[in-house]
Every structure is written in C-alpha cells, then in structure tokens.
Amino acid sequence: MAAEDRDPQQPAAEKPIRAAEVVGALSLATDLGTGQPLEHALRTAVLAVRLGELAGASAEELSDSYYLALLHASGCTSNSHEAAQLFGDDIGHRAAFFLIDPTNPAEVLAFYEAHVGTGRAPEVRARMIEDAIANAGPRARESFATMCEVAQRFAGWLELGSSVQDALAFVFTRWDGRGFPDARGDAIPLPMRVLHVARDISLFLTAGGPDEARAVIESRRGAQYEPWLADRAAQSFVELVGDLDEARMWVQALESEPFPQVWIAGARVDAAFMAIATLTGLKSPWLRGHSTGVAELAEAAAWRLGLEADAVTLVRRAALAHDLGRIGVQNAIWEKPGPLGFGEWERVRLHPHYSERAFAQSPDLAPIGLVAGAHHERLDGSGYHRGARAPALDQPSRILAAADCYGAMREARPYRPALEAEAAEVELLREADEGRLDPDAVAAVLGAAGHRVRQRPRELPAGLTERELEVLLVLVRGESNQRIADDLGISAKTVGHHVQHVYQKAGVRSRAAATVWAFENALVQAA
C-alpha cells in the first residue's frame, strides 16, 4: 500500500489523518466486542510487523500484516444477534473460543458445554448443546464466511488495497488445511500466516503469560502454523515480546506502522466513519440504520443552525461513530424485551464512554470522540455517562443528542414499538421544554426530519430581557460599560442600569460572577 497525498479537491482545512489511527480506534471497539483487553489488536499489529521482519517479508507484506492485525476481527461482531441466541452472552464465548483448538473434539465439546445456552434451564441447555454439536461444522463455516466477508468490505471502504481485502478471507484458515476456507500451506498469503502466529501470541500472553504463549506456538507448529514461521517465533520469542509496554501500546502500534505510512482525508475519512456506523448497526437488527439515520439528521440540523463547514463535518462523523461503544455491551441487554436491572443499566451507561475512549488516543480523532461520547448527556445533568450540565455541552453535542433522541424514538426497540412522527415530535419538544434538550437543536432536528416547526420565543432565565442578555454577553467578553454602550448604541448610564438589573436577577455582585452565571445557564452557548 502506498501513502496518499492530500486530495487537491479537499478544502485546505481538511488535514489528512493517519489510517492507522482510524483503524486502531475501530480495533479498540472490536476488542471490547470480542472479550479481549483493549491492547490486543494493537499488540498483535506490533508483533505481526516484528515477526514479518524476522521472516524476511517485503515492505508491502509488512504493511499488509499490520493492517490485517488491526482489522482481522472487525467482522467478528457481525453475528452478535445470532450468537446471543445460541450462547446467551455474545461476547464472553468469543474470548473462550479464540483459545481452543477447534480441531480437538474434546476442547470443542468442553467449549460448548461451558457456553451454549447460558442462563437457560438444564433440559433446554442439554438440547441446545446436542444441536450445536450436531451442526457445528455448517454453523462454523457460515459464521466464519460472514465474519471474513464483513472484514473484507470494511477494508474495501478504507481503500487499503486488494491484497489486504483478499487476505482477510483467510482469517480462520490453518497451515494444515483444517480451517476455513479449504486452503493450506503456501495458498495462504504470507501476511495472514504471520498474523495467525502474532494473534495467538497476543491472545495467550493475556490468557497465560509468556511461557504459555510460547508453548502454544511450539505445540501447534505444523498444524495451525507454518513450521518455520513457528520456529522463528519461538526462537526469537524474547525479542518479539520483551519490550511490549501495555501502557504505551497505542504509541507502540503507531510507531510500528511500516513505511510508507497510509494517510487519508476527505471522502476516505468519511468512508471510514461510514464503516464504523455499519459495524455498529450489525451488532443487532434493532440498530440497523440508526447511526446513519442520526448522522443525516444531525448534519442537516447543523447546517440549519449555521455551523461552519468544519463543524458540520465534526457533527456528521461524531454521529456516525456515536454508538460504536454498543459493541462492548452484550446483546442480551440491548435485545431484552423487558425493563433493565440496575447492573444492566450501568452497562448501558458505559457505551458512550466506550465510544469516546475509542478515539481518545488520537489528537486528530479525540474531538470527534468527545462529541460522540456526549450523545446521552442532557442540559440539566440528568444524562450519562458524565452527567454533564449545559455549560459543558457545546453546540455539536447538543445537536447530536437531539438527533439521536429523535432517531431512536422513530425506531422500534425490543421493549416498545416505533413512535409515529407526530408522537416523536411531541416527545422531543417536551424534552426541550423540561430543560433536557437544547430548544434550538430540537427545532433544527425536527425541521431536518420534515416537521413544520414554529419559531418559539426564547425563554430567558431569571426574567432576563433580550436587551439585558445583549449587555450580559458583551460583559462576558470583558468589555467596559463605555465599550458596551458603543457596541449597542446606547448610553453608558443606561448600560449601568442594565448591568445592575442583571446582577439583581442573577443574584450576583460582580462581573466575574455574572460571567459564571451566564455559562451556568448556557447563555453564551445560546448566543
């Protein structure tokens, strides 16, 4: 793969972003959805490049190995709904499956007995286990094919090259040909053969430590792994893993990207975020189209409110990514037909945090993550995950919150039907009237959704008048009474009267306190 220069058709403000940062952020969510520690895919990428170098891989093969490591599990959550029906927990069983040898009947049987039908009655579990064993082959082939195809589609959207796309078809192959698809030996691309070893070193470093990781590589030599590649990994094991630093894994992974680095901008970044939205939608049939629908609403609302082009782009990308953290929460919770318990609600409240943290390591992506992570915040502090109040919520965050709220109302959920447009409008306006959602954002979202929105007079706190608000907002900028008078075309004496009225209504005695009060009541944002 070759690095991309800036697209000359992109605005000058559109700064290219490293593809490794976007795919790395996606890999953090994938790790959550597959029950792995957040450093797993990043660590696998570091190991894949190191092992590829020991194996004499070409520059292109090293680059492919790197991106395969970050993307190889990106399709693994695409069958979460079906997995939840069989296993009860669509996340925990994945972590356990990665550690077994699927050609060993005893290990497969133990896996099924431990994970199939979790939470079901014993007699129901027994029947489910029997059926799972009887249909293990066809079910596994179908699941593996789906996961590989989804990962290939993501690589295509990211334009990472045909060699990466082609290699992703071999995620579940084995050197001895007993995997999926029916390929063996040199028919498996070298970058994928490297990945198989690097991935399992990372898995077993977590599960059992360095000694167990090396023992697994040695014991599966010639079966799961290419013999000489397994030998090279075992002989150079200390060199491969010795300086891995979990606290710096993001930095190590970025430093390990082979040159030339891959940079993306404009449409390619948008395509990456569309892939993130699609990955989120695959988590459950109830979520299909939610993120993309919210993004359309939020973008249109942002234009209606007069945001600059770069801010509109921020809103759109944050909307596409806002529910990425859902991947880290079990489908048994998202698809529960009844009320959630305390512990289940606590897990739900984590998903915006996961969305935010997936992008937090990248300076270029962190602003997107901050807005995405605020989509359940409310102006009165009743939202989550931070419980932030109005002063901490900027306009993009307010727009996304309103768009997400409306979009969710218009979609069916396991515990309720979809609301009709009129009912959703009433509910969204009520959220604004009761101080949870921003009225301007709500009006813009409703307008973007095709509702006829009446212009409502703004209700100011503490009985403040529009003129007093004008004075307060200039005062917040630190201007003198004379300068305020000049700006507003009134006398300094009149300004003084207005300032005193503001102080009385706000219950403050100084300009500094009045400034704080303005932020507390979101008056600066509203302006």
Side-chain angles (χ1 to χ4, degrees):
M1 292 178 292
E4 180 186 76
D5 294 330
R6 181 191 293 274
D7 185 339
Q9 295 183 348
Q10 291 298 325
E14 179 70 74
K15 185 176 72 170
I17 300 171
R18 283 181 63 179
E21 297 195 11
V22 179
V23 183
L26 180 62
S27 79
L28 294 178
T30 301
D31 284 342
L32 281 172
T34 54
Q36 298 303 319
L38 290 182
E39 67 270 13
H40 167 61
L42 299 171
R43 181 169 62 191
T44 300
V46 175
L47 291 168
V49 172
R50 292 178 178 182
L51 182 57
E53 290 173 341
L54 291 173
S58 67
E60 182 177 3
E61 288 170 333
L62 288 175
S63 184
D64 287 355
S65 297
Y66 181 81
Y67 278 97
L68 288 173
L70 295 177
L71 274 174
H72 74 277
S74 60
C76 287
T77 60
S78 60
N79 68 339
S80 293
H81 174 72
E82 294 77 11
Q85 308 306 306
L86 179 60
F87 296 104
D89 178 357
D90 62 300
I91 296 177
H93 84 280
R94 300 187 197 280
F97 181 79
F98 289 149
L99 300 179
I100 71 169
D101 179 351
T103 67
N104 184 318
E107 292 188 28
V108 173
L109 178 60
F111 168 78
Y112 281 141
E113 289 179 339
H115 296 281
V116 169
T118 303
R120 304 291 187 93
E123 61 275 12
V124 175
R125 284 201 70 203
R127 290 195 297 271
M128 292 179 69
I129 292 170
E130 182 179 356
D131 176 73
I133 294 171
N135 295 285
R139 180 179 283 121
R141 283 192 291 273
E142 181 180 359
S143 296
F144 293 159
T146 298
M147 294 174 188
C148 289
E149 184 177 13
V150 169
Q152 288 177 298
R153 301 295 297 182
F154 289 159
W157 282 5
L158 293 163
E159 298 182 32
L160 292 176
S162 59
S163 55
V164 172
Q165 287 181 256
D166 293 343
L168 283 167
F170 298 90
V171 172
F172 299 100
T173 52
R174 293 166 53 101
W175 175 257
D176 61 9
R178 299 179 67 188
F180 172 88
D182 296 327
R184 68 174 64 232
D186 291 338
I188 304 168
L190 175 62
M192 185 54 71
R193 304 197 308 263
V194 169
L195 170 65
H196 288 157
V197 178
R199 175 198 62 197
D200 288 0
I201 290 175
S202 179
L203 286 170
F204 284 95
L205 281 174
T206 297
D211 291 342
E212 182 171 349
R214 176 155 43 187
V216 167
I217 300 304
E218 292 173 339
S219 67
R220 297 181 182 181
R221 174 192 184 278
Q224 194 158 344
Y225 320 122
E226 184 172 9
W228 75 269
L229 199 55
D231 291 342
R232 183 61 59 89
Q235 293 163 4
S236 305
F237 195 81
V238 174
E239 180 182 348
L240 285 173
V241 308
D243 66 340
L244 292 175
D245 185 348
E246 293 182 6
R248 297 184 64 255
M249 196 52 65
W250 176 270
V251 174
Q252 281 193 320
L254 290 183
E255 291 174 347
S256 296
E257 182 185 7
F259 284 93
Q261 296 170 342
V262 181
W263 293 79
I264 59 177
R268 285 185 70 182
V269 178
D270 288 333
F273 278 91
M274 184 63 72
I276 289 171
T278 303
L279 175 67
T280 304
L282 291 175
K283 174 71 171 171
S284 170
W286 301 95
L287 302 176
R288 306 286 157 82
H290 173 71
S291 294
T292 51
V294 170
E296 291 176 4
L297 276 178
E299 180 179 11
W303 285 122
R304 283 173 173 264
L305 289 172
L307 271 65
E308 298 292 334
D310 57 346
V312 175
T313 297
L314 170 67
V315 170
R316 180 179 68 251
R317 291 173 181 171
L320 289 170
H322 76 280
D323 263 351
L324 179 62
R326 280 183 182 262
I327 292 173
V329 179
Q330 294 90 336
N331 273 44
I333 293 177
W334 298 127
E335 300 179 3
K336 186 175 181 178
L340 298 181
F342 173 79
E344 292 168 328
W345 257 115
E346 287 304 303
R347 292 179 185 274
V348 166
R349 292 167 68 91
L350 283 173
H351 85 271
H353 169 73
Y354 293 152
S355 296
E356 179 181 322
R357 297 308 301 172
F359 302 99
Q361 300 300 318
S362 165
D364 290 325
L365 300 177
I368 297 173
L370 285 172
V371 175
H375 70 278
H376 278 293
E377 302 290 358
R378 297 295 182 259
L379 301 183
D380 62 356
S382 64
Y384 58 89
H385 61 102
R386 296 185 187 280
R389 301 182 71 88
L393 300 173
D394 59 12
Q395 199 169 24
S397 299
R398 295 169 184 229
I399 293 170
L400 177 54
D404 174 65
C405 194
Y406 181 86
M409 289 182 197
R410 297 285 286 122
E411 299 161 2
R413 292 291 182 259
Y415 48 89
R416 60 156 176 80
L419 295 186
E420 296 294 334
E422 294 78 9
E425 178 182 357
V426 169
E427 286 297 309
L428 204 66
L429 289 172
R430 183 172 63 82
E431 289 291 304
D433 289 339
E434 296 181 1
R436 288 184 287 277
L437 292 177
D438 180 85
D440 293 334
V442 164
V445 166
L446 289 174
H451 295 263
R452 297 185 66 179
V453 183
R454 290 177 298 176
Q455 198 69 26
R456 300 189 303 169
R458 177 166 50 170
E459 294 184 11
L460 299 175
L464 216 62
T465 67
E466 288 290 343
R467 175 59 85 182
E468 288 165 351
L469 175 62
E470 289 180 315
V471 170
L472 174 61
L473 293 179
V474 182
L475 179 151
V476 164
R477 298 202 302 265
E479 306 291 358
S480 65
N481 282 12
Q482 186 60 56
R483 182 60 182 271
I484 295 173
D486 294 341
D487 285 353
L488 299 181
I490 56 179
S491 70
K493 184 176 180 180
T494 301
V495 169
H497 289 309
H498 285 314
V499 169
Q500 289 305 312
H501 292 158
V502 169
Y503 283 3
Q504 291 170 4
K505 292 179 179 181
V508 300
R509 298 190 301 273
S510 67
R511 285 174 171 250
T515 299
V516 173
W517 184 82
F519 277 96
E520 287 174 347
N521 287 275
L523 295 174
V524 177
Q525 292 289 350

